[in-house]
Amino acid sequence: MQRPDMSVEVAGIKMRNPVMTASGTFGYGAEFAEYMELDSIGALVTKGLSLKPKAGNPTPRIVETPGGMLNAIGLQNVGIDAFITEKLPYLAGVSTPVIANLYGNTLEEYGEVASRLDGLPGVAGIEVNISCPNVKQGGIVFGTDPGCAAEVVSLVRRNTTKPLIVKLSPNVTDVVEMAKSCADAGADALSLINTLTGMAIDLDRRRPVLANITGGLSGPAIKPVALRMVWQTARAVKLPLIGIGGIMNGRDALEFILAGATAVQVGTASFLDPGAAQRIAQEMELYLAEHGIADVKSLIGALEI
Amino acid sequence: MQFKSYVMSNAEVSPGYFRMRFTVPAAVVEGSVPGHFLMLRVVDAIDPLLRRPFGIFDVGTCSAVFAESGRTSYGEILYKTVGKGTRLLSTLHQGDVVDLLAPLGRGFDLGAAGEEKLLVGGGIGLAPLYYLAKELTAKGEKVRLFAGGRNRDDILCITEFERLGVETYVSTDDGTLGEQGLVTEVLERHLQSSGKRIFACGPTPMLRAVAVMAKMHRVPCQVSMEAYMACGVGACLGCVLPGANHSPETPDYRCVCKDGPVFDSEELQWS
């Protein structure tokens, strides 16, 4: 049998396989070059970029919980200008599509960052973060109100010709309503989910562990929630979906594909296994080969109910 | 680099403190310097999920245990059982397999020849200092070790240092071993003359005291820092510390895993 066809296309971005890296878990790519072939994965998503460099939150910023971790990094990043001059030249040497994740502290900043990225040849698409739970302004403020989300998305849409992915928050009552709102406002694809807001308490000190008090829960612990949200959204929205949440191996990734995702993003797994994204793509391909499935696209939304 | 490793030995050297030796590729022995650390995945499971960072206690080669013949490259860590991960680690035996990333981070700058090298370790902070002492004494440097802890159980592997020819000074809070008092008090008595360099690792309050003292006596000082880490390769930004000029208005965070774990003490903010 021939090798299974692993290629997928999301919003016009052609990927050699459905495995992407999740924003904020893969730095700017170069950090992982020692541990995997960056060209072996479907796409690489950068750390969230803002107009100005951002310092992030005080420490402690991370804590481990059973089956997951909480983080409150606070979107620390080098800013759009340094990204263009210092990070993008390295990424230009990688054949994998680079997707720039962006966010703004204000509505206008979302538009400004998007327009700065618009003319850049090395950027295959943008992913708009309206779902970070760890910053006071920006992020989740825009991601929990369908009206605000639509406003951000339509402004970014006006400022970019690139494929536009919107990353949704699970910290809402109805993720489908948010998805529809972003779709109507001009998104080309949706990625979901971002982290779930949580907290950890140090009983001996009787204090929160994180300096920010709350943080975003990621890792295997959130996979069932993410799968449910992808499945619900896939049934209600026509856009391609990118499934994210606790994917540790090829089987996890394929569950998201069955639930309706066209591609997946690997996040926390890269922290404990820096070669995780490449390994997961290989494991998916092996599953297909073992089950005589010729094309991964045939599994998208193929869940039997 | 990332590799699987066999545990060669894992023994309790003092109540609650373990020393583990494991196989490493020869490139790890060649590529590491004192102060480097490694990230160890204790079990292939989701709880505990993350790797654990450990300073490298020693690297070297020894007679082969698992290979047919010849010699095996090994690494060693010295660790304290504090939580779920290290308690599980302490149950591993010879032949068990762990997954490692090593060597990681920025190590110690060994300094100029002829300087007196003052090593200051608090409790488990002694771990990366043994590898340092080994390298310094191999170069013929004069090395003194100041080891501190709450009680005698916290004073680790002193005879190992002494075997290298290191002059050791021990102090404990309760006086059960060495002098009673703080390690920094003993250190200060040795800072009067010039031509010295300090290398310190231990609890942050101890490092703060050492950094202040070093500045006062104008002695160059490097500190090896500890932090919660997720990735160990500079991607998650979970392990940052404020740099010397950090303020909310002019933020300057340094990544312990990538910019450190060894820093010049004047690079960091100690207040």
Side-chain angles (χ1 to χ4, degrees):
Chain A
M1 185 185 152
Q2 281 191 319
R3 281 184 74 169
D5 182 355
M6 295 294 288
S7 67
V8 294
E9 187 173 323
V10 175
I13 303 167
K14 291 184 167 54
M15 304 185 197
R16 61 171 61 81
N17 61 52
V19 181
M20 310 163 67
T21 59
S23 178
T25 64
F26 208 68
Y28 302 98
E31 293 88 340
F32 289 85
E34 184 188 336
Y35 301 99
M36 61 176 269
E37 296 290 332
L38 297 180
D39 289 336
S40 69
I41 57 172
L44 190 158
V45 186
T46 69
K47 187 132 184 63
L49 301 164
S50 51
L51 191 56
K52 299 268 182 280
K54 186 160 167 77
N57 291 330
T59 57
R61 290 174 167 189
I62 52 168
V63 58
E64 191 180 56
T65 68
M69 62 177 275
L70 285 163
N71 89 80
I73 307 299
L75 295 171
Q76 179 177 341
N77 79 98
V78 297
I80 186 67
D81 292 337
F83 171 72
I84 293 168
T85 56
E86 295 167 20
K87 309 295 183 187
L88 204 51
Y90 173 81
L91 292 171
V94 176
S95 71
T96 294
V98 173
I99 293 165
N101 181 288
L102 68 88
Y103 74 95
N105 290 312
T106 62
L107 188 60
E108 292 70 32
E109 276 188 35
Y110 273 98
E112 178 65 26
V113 183
S115 81
R116 298 252 191 130
L117 286 163
D118 194 38
L120 296 175
V123 176
I126 60 176
E127 181 182 65
V128 180
N129 178 6
I130 54 167
S131 43
C132 178
N134 299 323
V135 290
K136 287 197 183 72
Q137 294 158 325
I140 202 159
V141 176
F142 297 104
T144 49
D145 179 310
C148 289
E151 232 181 317
V152 172
V153 175
S154 59
L155 176 69
V156 171
R157 178 76 287 169
R158 289 198 297 277
N159 281 279
T160 188
T161 54
K162 290 189 189 292
L164 167 52
I165 303 163
V166 180
K167 186 166 177 178
L168 301 179
S169 169
N171 302 307
V172 293
T173 312
D174 184 359
V175 72
V176 172
E177 186 189 12
M178 293 298 299
K180 283 179 174 166
S181 186
C182 293
D184 293 344
D188 297 315
L190 303 171
S191 51
L192 64 165
I193 58 175
N194 205 319
T195 54
L196 283 151
T197 309
M199 73 184 286
I201 292 174
D202 182 335
L203 184 59
D204 296 325
R205 292 170 58 243
R206 300 187 188 182
R207 288 175 185 278
V209 177
L210 296 173
N212 194 53
I213 303 174
T214 62
L217 178 64
S218 64
I222 73 166
K223 197 186 94 179
V225 178
L227 268 178
R228 183 264 294 178
M229 289 189 162
V230 167
W231 177 69
Q232 284 180 326
T233 305
R235 288 164 25 124
V237 176
K238 294 245 178 303
L239 296 183
L241 304 181
I242 301 165
I244 320 167
I247 295 172
M248 306 295 286
N249 55 50
R251 295 183 73 90
D252 290 339
L254 286 163
E255 288 177 31
F256 278 86
I257 304 283
L258 280 184
T262 300
V264 295
Q265 289 182 10
V266 172
T268 302
S270 295
F271 292 157
L272 49 121
D273 175 10
Q278 180 176 7
R279 170 178 55 79
I280 289 168
Q282 287 164 348
E283 289 169 354
M284 290 173 80
E285 186 176 339
L286 193 62
Y287 176 94
L288 263 63
E290 283 173 355
H291 290 77
I293 300 163
D295 189 339
V296 71
K297 290 183 279 296
S298 67
L299 294 178
I300 298 170
L303 185 71
E304 292 174 26
I305 305 282
Chain B
M1 63 191 297
Q2 182 174 7
F3 55 92
K4 298 276 184 205
S5 164
Y6 286 105
V7 174
M8 298 167 77
S9 60
N10 189 23
E12 193 166 25
V13 293
S14 184
Y17 292 95
F18 287 75
R19 179 173 170 180
M20 189 172 104
R21 180 178 282 203
F22 42 84
T23 59
V24 300
V28 171
V29 176
E30 288 151 19
S32 63
V33 299
H36 275 163
F37 72 102
L38 56 83
M39 294 287 281
L40 187 151
R41 187 130 196 251
V42 184
V43 286
D44 187 17
I46 61 166
D47 187 21
L49 182 69
L50 299 175
R51 288 170 183 273
R52 297 291 188 270
F54 298 97
I56 296 176
F57 177 76
D58 197 11
V59 293
T61 56
C62 62
S63 298
V65 173
F66 298 103
E68 292 286 309
S69 61
R71 295 183 70 75
T72 303
S73 299
Y74 68 84
E76 283 190 14
I77 56 172
L78 188 63
Y79 63 94
K80 184 180 185 179
T81 52
V82 288
K84 197 184 287 177
T86 43
R87 274 199 301 275
L88 261 174
L89 186 61
S90 71
T91 65
L92 298 187
H93 296 98
Q94 185 181 355
D96 285 341
V97 176
V98 289
D99 190 281
L100 293 171
L101 303 179
L104 299 171
R106 180 173 71 156
F108 288 107
D109 168 2
L110 299 191
E115 289 171 333
E116 196 172 291
K117 307 298 195 285
L118 308 179
L119 279 46
V120 191
I124 197 62
L126 278 175
L129 299 180
Y130 177 70
Y131 184 12
L132 176 66
K134 202 169 115 174
E135 292 284 302
L136 288 171
T137 50
K139 288 173 179 292
E141 300 285 341
K142 169 79 180 166
V143 181
R144 291 179 200 266
L145 173 73
F146 300 85
R150 283 163 307 162
N151 58 52
R152 59 180 308 139
D153 293 344
D154 293 334
I155 307 298
L156 311 165
C157 301
I158 289 301
T159 50
E160 303 284 329
F161 284 92
E162 286 172 343
R163 237 176 262 156
L164 296 172
V166 172
E167 204 165 297
T168 59
Y169 302 82
V170 172
S171 55
T172 50
D173 294 352
D174 65 359
T176 48
L177 194 67
E179 202 170 311
Q180 182 167 16
L182 295 175
V183 66
T184 44
E185 291 163 4
V186 187
L187 171 70
E188 189 154 33
R189 295 202 289 269
H190 288 82
L191 288 177
Q192 307 309 327
S193 61
S194 60
K196 299 177 195 299
R197 180 177 292 264
I198 297 173
F199 305 84
C201 185
T204 304
M206 183 204 94
L207 294 178
R208 184 183 298 118
V210 172
V212 168
M213 206 177 280
K215 190 168 185 177
M216 205 163 67
H217 291 276
R218 296 194 179 133
V219 178
C221 173
Q222 296 165 66
V223 289
S224 177
M225 305 302 293
E226 249 195 342
Y228 290 108
M229 278 180 199
C231 71
V233 299
C236 72
L237 307 180
C239 65
V240 298
L241 289 176
N245 298 316
H246 172 88
S247 72
E249 296 73 37
T250 56
D252 173 22
Y253 280 118
R254 310 290 173 91
C255 231
V256 173
C257 71
K258 203 74 185 174
D259 303 323
V262 176
F263 294 90
D264 189 303
S265 64
E266 299 205 345
E267 276 178 81
L268 298 176
Q269 193 168 84
W270 293 103
S271 54

